[in-house]
Amino acid sequence: MRILVTGGAGYIGSHTVLVLLQSGYDVVVFDNLCNSSRKSIERVSSIVERQVNFVEGDIRNPEELGSVFSKYHIDAVIHFAGLKAVGESVQKPAEYYDVNVGGTAKLLLAMQKANVSRMVFSSSATVYGVEAPTPYVESLPRGSTSNPYATSKAMIEKMLEDQSIAHPDWSIALLRYFNPIGAHESGLIGEDPLGIPNNLMPFMAQVAVGRRDRLAVFGGDYPTPDGTCRRDYLHVMDLAEGHVKALESLYKSGCCAYNLGTGSPVSVLEMISAFESETGVKIPYKIAPRREGDLAEFWADPLKANQLLGWSAKRSLNQMMADTWRWQSQNPDGYN
Ligand code: NAD
Ligand code: WQD
């Protein structure tokens, strides 16, 4: 079975490509490399000792997409390609809707033309909106989103639901990720953000490796046990394995959403202390003002993915820290 992986050179995509290859799937990666490096795919190749088909192209370009579908017989698509920085999406809404929403519409048209009707989509916990009660459960409606990135994910979910209603033979899994962190245990692939990291784990890892002076903890006065925000951090390899489970579920038609998270919230201060105790490296930090738009806490109810996909997150917080540190210390400048 051959899977087209859009955005497969990126952080989550490269780990998923690795797990797909190790599970016996053939893979074609389609990525325009706007936020990634070809080296991620070369390293995946070296781990699995197999060539990986790579096509450089943009999901907004019907010709480039069409030529991939004509060159390769594709059975299903895992769709990671998109822009993902919340703050940037507020500055550049048109670009975010163009790539995320417009690009996905172009991908659907190309799939229709090639008679490919199975898709796993990278959605996000952010679609629950700013007022949903925790833990988030899939039976909640999508909520009111607070930035163009989140709105683009909610719009794509709706588009995919409409597609599956109009075409009852289609099968689509919407995977709502919580906070993926960590890296493959080899230390050869990992998260390599361009510029100053927006997210906690890569920022902390860059402080640890000496690229940044100290971590700003955004807010110490939230109504949480230690005053800092709590999130549901999951290991990127668990997340990658969730995609294979979701692919296996696509023999049934329809469009179905699943939370992929651990079900346990962890605070920012607990993250710092887990990193320090696992790696022995101190993280200098300072409590700073709250970051605009942050929610105090949210985490997943992961029961549906467990019952219907047979998936649950297995790797511990300590392992997430150890694997992040192995990647960051072996590759202080990422793929550069
Ligand atoms: P990433 O930026 O590392 O990967 C996205 C990939 O898509 C990159 O390789 C990029 O070059 C590619 N891409 C972007 N625009 C493209 C286009 N027009 N055509 C072709 N390729 C394009 O991000 P990631 O963290 O691996 O996230 C993957 C997906 O998961 C994204 O859709 C993201 O929104 C979603 N997601 C991520 C998180 C997270 O915390 N990392 C959480 C929830 C959902
Ligand atoms: C985690 C916690 C921060 C950086 C974002 C997106 C979400 C999803 C995942 C895609 C928060 C705190 C962070 C720092 C800090 N992406 N923090 N200092 O905000 O939960 O989710 O990424 O769908 O849509 O919004 O993740 O890693 O940015 O923050 O104190 O330098 O760490 O305040 O409490 P977040 P994050």
Side-chain angles (χ1 to χ4, degrees), residues 84 86 123-126 147 149 153 177-180 197-203 215-219 222 228-231 233 268 291 294-296 298:
K84 65 161 182 178
V86 171
S123 189
S124 166
T126 197
N147 58 73
Y149 168 75
K153 290 291 176 187
Y177 315 156
F178 282 68
N179 290 58
N198 299 305
N199 299 114
L200 177 63
M201 194 70 246
F203 200 105
L215 175 72
V217 173
F218 298 140
Y222 282 100
T228 64
C229 292
R230 298 198 299 167
R231 295 288 182 272
Y233 298 93
V268 179
R291 180 172 69 177
D294 268 343
L295 297 178
F298 61 83

Side-chain angles (χ1 to χ4, degrees), residues 109-152:
L109 291 171
M111 289 173 65
Q112 266 176 204
K113 223 169 155 183
N115 278 320
V116 179
S117 55
R118 285 184 279 178
M119 177 190 264
V120 175
F121 171 63
S122 294
S123 189
S124 166
T126 197
V127 302
Y128 288 104
V130 292
E131 278 155 12
T134 55
Y136 294 167
V137 59
E138 295 87 344
S139 52
L140 289 165
R142 281 184 289 273
S144 76
T145 47
S146 60
N147 58 73
Y149 168 75
T151 308
S152 77

Side-chain angles (χ1 to χ4, degrees), residues 211-222:
R211 276 173 69 178
R212 320 233 161 244
D213 291 342
R214 71 175 167 195
L215 175 72
V217 173
F218 298 140
D221 58 353
Y222 282 100

Side-chain angles (χ1 to χ4, degrees), residues 6-14 30-37 57-60 79-84 99-100 103 121-126 149 153 175-180 191 199 239:
T6 73
Y11 171 47
I12 306 169
S14 55
F30 183 86
D31 198 304
N32 69 356
L33 301 178
C34 71
N35 196 37
S36 54
S37 161
D58 193 307
I59 52 167
R60 292 166 295 175
H79 177 33
F80 292 103
L83 303 178
K84 65 161 182 178
V99 173
N100 293 3
F121 171 63
S122 294
S123 189
S124 166
T126 197
Y149 168 75
K153 290 291 176 187
L175 301 185
R176 295 175 176 168
Y177 315 156
F178 282 68
N179 290 58
E191 187 169 15
N199 299 114
L239 182 58

Side-chain angles (χ1 to χ4, degrees), residues 298-320:
F298 61 83
W299 63 95
D301 177 339
L303 192 65
K304 184 175 174 188
N306 185 222
Q307 289 181 335
L308 299 188
L309 301 181
W311 176 88
S312 57
K314 301 235 159 27
R315 294 162 177 86
S316 66
L317 190 60
N318 284 355
Q319 190 168 347
M320 299 180 213

Side-chain angles (χ1 to χ4, degrees), residues 48-197:
V48 296
E49 298 179 335
R50 240 172 98 183
Q51 253 336 92
V52 182
N53 301 306
F54 176 80
V55 179
E56 187 169 342
D58 193 307
I59 52 167
R60 292 166 295 175
N61 185 320
E63 286 76 38
E64 288 173 353
L65 275 178
S67 70
V68 175
F69 282 104
S70 4
K71 180 168 177 196
Y72 298 96
H73 174 88
I74 301 293
D75 296 288
V77 176
I78 303 187
H79 177 33
F80 292 103
L83 303 178
K84 65 161 182 178
V86 171
E88 185 185 59
S89 78
V90 177
Q91 308 303 321
K92 299 179 172 176
E95 286 84 345
Y96 270 68
Y97 291 118
D98 179 36
V99 173
N100 293 3
V101 182
T104 303
K106 294 268 165 53
L107 177 60
L108 288 185
L109 291 171
M111 289 173 65
Q112 266 176 204
K113 223 169 155 183
N115 278 320
V116 179
S117 55
R118 285 184 279 178
M119 177 190 264
V120 175
F121 171 63
S122 294
S123 189
S124 166
T126 197
V127 302
Y128 288 104
V130 292
E131 278 155 12
T134 55
Y136 294 167
V137 59
E138 295 87 344
S139 52
L140 289 165
R142 281 184 289 273
S144 76
T145 47
S146 60
N147 58 73
Y149 168 75
T151 308
S152 77
K153 290 291 176 187
M155 288 169 73
I156 297 167
E157 284 201 357
K158 180 71 182 134
M159 185 193 333
L160 296 177
E161 284 168 3
D162 289 345
Q163 180 72 3
S164 79
I165 291 166
H167 302 280
D169 54 321
W170 276 58
S171 181
I172 302 174
L174 309 173
L175 301 185
R176 295 175 176 168
Y177 315 156
F178 282 68
N179 290 58
I181 61 169
H184 183 254
E185 59 182 14
S186 62
L188 288 172
I189 56 171
E191 187 169 15
D192 182 22
L194 287 178
I196 302 171

